[in-house]
């Protein structure tokens, strides 16, 4: 769980980040490829494969879970699969945001954990606990695995599993079955709790406060938040179809006696995730972050979690509307018609999904544009050693993934960049433009073996260009070797390390301000623009 520290925060001895998603992607990345169009070629192919697996596993997982909870109903399973494949809030909406890819993979694990939790909750006296140990241990190990993918997903799953435990204890026929159920869930909590305790022990004091203090701006009122909690389809028609089926399943979960215990935790999840979604979308305040901070106060993450109970209840609704012997009676026929109409409405959203996903999530840029890709590829061909100095917010970091070219800043900077990457790297970040003029900067360039500087266009996050990138085109010791409208690649020319201090040419700031803004982007000099730069020199 600390494997990413050398890349993300090399100077932070307490760095922790769940890296299971990254490990799986790395495994895919190193699979042999033959260069054919169907082979995995580079990081984009590996990421696309992980995203495809995320969607497939989610659809299959909720289908199996729904069929299990609805008494083995294949109709419920098929209905849940169709709704899951047509849902916009998950996985499609989440897969459009790169930082949420691990979270998305974690959400797909939840149905499997609930299957194991249901097995433990079904314990009866005749089992004498023998059939509970294995699923309980698998549940505990699986929850620990979910934590290693994304801790907030593990907490969300634990909320639902706690509902399964309560429902199992309530309906267990007698003391011995209750003790069996309780023992099973306690056994499951041991490996999951041990792993969570270990990861929390490596966190530095105050690291968790960043999520608790973070808050997104609200763009909708409470009424709008409540309405959008039911907006899971890519179109209004498909959302209505999903909502009708979900409400039918919700009614059945209360009215059908044999479904009350299995679906109780699903109803509980619908209420909890729905309330958290409304809080994160429609309310603002410190008291809200007490409940939403663990998920970064992000309404989109709660929308993804809310898709799990919504899809399961929608599958149950299909089964409830189309009972056995559905051809008999007017009410049964009406239920069949309603279910078919709703499923057709749900499926109609498929006509929009592929087009919308390609337009919204997979266009050119802003991380890497077509022009930037040309210069990144040229750097991959020209590279003959050393380190590349880059801006982690303009997409040039991708040269590390595309061509294995080492970059000085492979991940975005935190609120305390010096503690994250060290003062030596930040000195170059703020002052590389004075290379050859400031002896301390020259010495640092040579010590860290910086041989290239690359500048892209646009920025993803932060206020704009780092101060050290201002006026690079005026520095005679940085020679442009590849350039177009999207990016410039400079080669660092050799300079005598013992040269005297010199005044830099006009266009390059003579010094870095002593105080830098503690923001998530670069420190800036007075000449730097306050918005993302529109020219490669960073002059606005």
């Amino acid at each position: 769980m600390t494997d990413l520290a050398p890349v993300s925060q090399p100077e932070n001895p307490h760095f922790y980040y769940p890296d299971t998603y990254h490990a799986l992607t790395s495994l895919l990345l190193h699979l042999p490829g033959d260069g054919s169009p169907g082979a995995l070629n580079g990081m984009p192919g590996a990421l696309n494969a992980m995203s495809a697996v995320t969607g497939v596993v989610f659809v299959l997982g909720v289908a199996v879970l729904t069929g299990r909870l609805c008494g083995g109903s294949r109709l419920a399973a098929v209905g849940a699969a169709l709704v899951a494949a047509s849902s916009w809030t998950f996985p499609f909406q989440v897969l459009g945001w790169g930082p949420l890819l691990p979270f998305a993979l974690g959400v797909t694990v939840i149905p499997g954990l609930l299957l194991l939790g249901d097995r433990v909750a079904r314990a009866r006296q005749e089992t004498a606990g023998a059939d509970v140990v294995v699923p309980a241990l698998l549940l505990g190990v699986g929850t620990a695995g979910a934590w290693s993918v994304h801790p907030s997903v593990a907490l969300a799953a634990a909320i639902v599993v706690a509902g399964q435990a309560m429902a199992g204890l309530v309906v267990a026929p007698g003391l011995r079955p209750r003790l069996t159920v309780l023992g099973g869930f306690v056994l499951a909590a041991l490996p999951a709790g041990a792993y969570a305790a270990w990861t929390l022990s490596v966190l530095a004091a105050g690291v968790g406060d960043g999520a608790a203090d973070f808050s997104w701006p609200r763009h909708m009122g409470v009424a709008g938040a409540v309405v959008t909690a039911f907006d899971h389809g890519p179109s209004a028609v498909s959302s209505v179809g999903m909502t009708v089926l979900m409400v039918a399943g919700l009614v059945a979960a209360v009215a059908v006696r044999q479904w009350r215990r299995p679906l109780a935790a699903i109803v509980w999840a619908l209420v909890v995730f729905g309330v958290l979604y409304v809080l994160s979308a429609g309310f603002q305040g410190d008291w809200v972050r007490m409940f939403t901070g663990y998920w970064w106060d992000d309404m989109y993450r709660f929308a993804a979690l809310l898709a799990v109970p919504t899809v399961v209840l929608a599958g149950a609704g299909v089964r409830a509307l189309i009972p056995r012997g559905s051809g008999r009676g007017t009410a049964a026929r009406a239920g069949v018609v309603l279910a078919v109409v709703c499923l057709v409405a749900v499926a109609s959203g498929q006509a929009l999904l592929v087009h919308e996903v390609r337009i919204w999530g997979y266009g050119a840029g802003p991380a890497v544009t077509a022009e930037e890709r040309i210069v990144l590829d040229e750097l991959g061909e020209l590279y003959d050693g050393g380190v590349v100095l880059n801006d982690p917010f303009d997409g040039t970091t991708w040269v590390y993934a595309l061509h294995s070219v080492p970059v000085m800043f492979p991940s975005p900077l935190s609120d305390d960049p010096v503690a994250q990457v060290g003062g030596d790297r930040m000195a170059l970040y703020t002052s590389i433009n004075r290379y050859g003029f400031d002896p301390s900067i020259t010495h640092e360039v040579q010590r860290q073996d910086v041989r290239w500087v690359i500048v892209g266009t646009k920025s993803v996050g932060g206020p704009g260009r780092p101060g050290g990138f201002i006026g690079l085109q005026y520095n005679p010791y940085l020679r442009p070797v590849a350039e177009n409208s999207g990016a410039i690649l400079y080669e660092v020319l050799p300079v005598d390390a013992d040269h005297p201090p010199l005044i830099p040419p006009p266009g390059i700031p003579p010094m870095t301000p002593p105080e830098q803004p503690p923001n998530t982007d670069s420190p800036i000099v007075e000449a730097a623009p306050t918005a993302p730069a529109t020219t490669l020199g960073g002059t606005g």
Side-chain angles (χ1 to χ4, degrees):
M1 292 302 98
T2 58
D3 292 343
L4 292 177
V7 175
S8 183
Q9 299 196 15
E11 297 298 318
N12 182 3
H14 303 288
F15 177 78
Y16 166 78
Y17 189 87
D19 65 353
T20 296
Y21 178 91
H22 305 79
L24 292 173
T25 306
S26 179
L27 177 64
L28 284 177
L29 183 63
H30 289 87
L31 290 177
D34 58 4
S36 63
L40 287 177
N41 292 314
M43 182 62 73
L47 291 174
N48 287 340
M50 290 295 292
S51 296
V53 168
T54 297
V56 171
V57 171
F58 177 68
V59 172
L60 295 178
V62 293
V64 175
L65 175 64
T66 306
R68 165 82 173 183
L69 300 183
C70 295
S73 171
R74 297 178 181 178
L75 187 60
V78 172
L82 179 59
V83 175
S86 303
S87 172
W88 169 251
T89 53
F90 188 83
F92 295 102
Q93 188 179 60
V94 180
L95 292 178
W97 298 96
L100 293 185
L101 292 179
F103 179 84
L105 182 65
V107 173
T108 66
V109 176
I110 293 179
L113 297 178
L114 299 186
L115 276 169
L116 294 169
D118 181 72
R119 178 67 180 273
V120 177
R122 288 176 183 264
R124 292 294 183 265
Q125 184 176 359
E126 57 268 18
T127 66
D131 294 338
V132 178
V133 174
V134 173
L137 289 176
L138 289 175
L139 175 61
V141 173
T143 304
W147 184 286
S148 73
V149 175
H150 208 291
S152 66
V153 170
L155 178 60
I159 291 173
V160 190
V161 171
Q164 289 180 315
M166 292 300 298
L169 290 172
V170 168
V171 303
L175 178 60
R176 187 175 178 182
R178 288 193 180 97
L179 291 177
T180 301
V181 172
L182 179 61
F185 283 103
V186 170
L187 182 61
L190 294 180
Y195 183 79
W198 175 78
T199 57
L200 291 174
S201 69
V202 301
L203 291 175
V207 170
D209 296 339
D213 296 337
F214 186 84
S215 181
W216 291 100
R218 272 45 172 177
H219 298 293
M220 64 179 71
V222 177
V226 173
V227 171
T228 56
F230 299 95
D231 186 17
H232 293 277
S235 68
V237 173
S238 59
S239 290
V240 170
M242 294 179 188
T243 302
V244 171
L245 293 176
M246 185 269 291
V247 172
L250 184 61
V251 172
V254 177
V256 179
R257 183 179 60 84
Q258 60 268 32
W259 285 6
R260 289 174 186 168
R261 200 281 310 160
L263 291 177
I266 301 301
V267 175
W268 164 247
L270 182 74
V271 173
V272 173
F273 297 151
V275 169
L276 291 174
Y277 174 84
V278 172
L279 287 177
S280 62
F283 291 88
Q284 189 96 39
D286 294 339
W287 68 273
V288 175
R289 290 197 299 273
M290 292 177 57
F291 302 99
T292 63
Y294 197 75
W295 292 270
W296 283 97
D297 192 45
D298 186 359
M299 57 179 285
Y300 296 105
R301 302 189 197 210
F302 292 123
L305 293 172
L306 191 56
V308 176
T310 298
V311 168
V312 173
L313 289 175
V318 173
R319 178 64 182 84
L321 291 172
I322 309 179
R324 290 185 177 88
S326 57
R328 304 172 184 175
T330 303
R333 294 189 184 97
V336 172
V337 172
L338 179 58
V340 171
V341 170
C342 289
L343 288 174
V344 170
V346 168
S348 69
Q350 293 284 345
L352 299 174
L353 278 177
V354 176
H355 175 74
E356 291 295 330
V357 168
R358 288 182 64 85
I359 293 296
W360 177 66
Y362 295 90
V368 179
T369 64
E371 291 77 14
E372 286 176 319
R373 177 65 188 269
I374 294 174
V375 177
L376 296 184
D377 292 341
E378 290 193 46
L379 173 55
E381 296 177 359
L382 293 172
Y383 177 75
D384 57 358
V387 179
V388 179
L389 181 63
N390 67 301
D391 179 359
F393 296 97
D394 67 3
T396 52
T397 295
W398 268 88
V399 75
Y400 176 66
L402 293 170
H403 302 291
S404 300
V405 173
V407 294
M408 183 162 290
F409 299 101
S411 62
L413 298 177
S414 66
D415 290 337
D416 188 358
V418 173
Q420 176 188 0
V421 301
D424 50 358
R425 296 192 187 195
M426 290 308 299
L428 297 185
Y429 194 63
T430 61
S431 308
I432 185 61
N433 48 9
R434 295 202 304 278
Y435 168 73
F437 300 95
D438 186 332
S440 65
I441 301 302
T442 303
H443 171 75
E444 199 61 43
V445 166
Q446 296 176 352
R447 188 183 72 83
Q448 298 191 49
D449 196 21
V450 177
R451 304 185 193 178
W452 314 86
V453 179
I454 189 167
V455 187
T457 50
K458 299 185 179 180
S459 294
V460 180
R465 283 288 174 220
F469 281 32
I470 305 302
L472 290 178
Q473 70 272 31
Y474 304 122
N475 190 317
Y477 306 110
L478 301 176
R479 181 169 64 90
V481 293
E483 178 179 355
N484 61 25
S485 60
I488 293 180
L489 172 64
Y490 295 95
E491 180 184 6
V492 178
L493 301 179
V495 174
D496 185 1
D498 298 327
H499 71 81
L502 301 172
I503 298 176
I508 298 178
M511 65 179 60
T512 302
E515 295 183 2
Q516 302 298 319
N519 207 332
T520 54
D521 192 19
S522 60
I524 58 174
V525 295
E526 294 180 354
T530 57
T534 56
T535 64
L536 299 176
T539 54

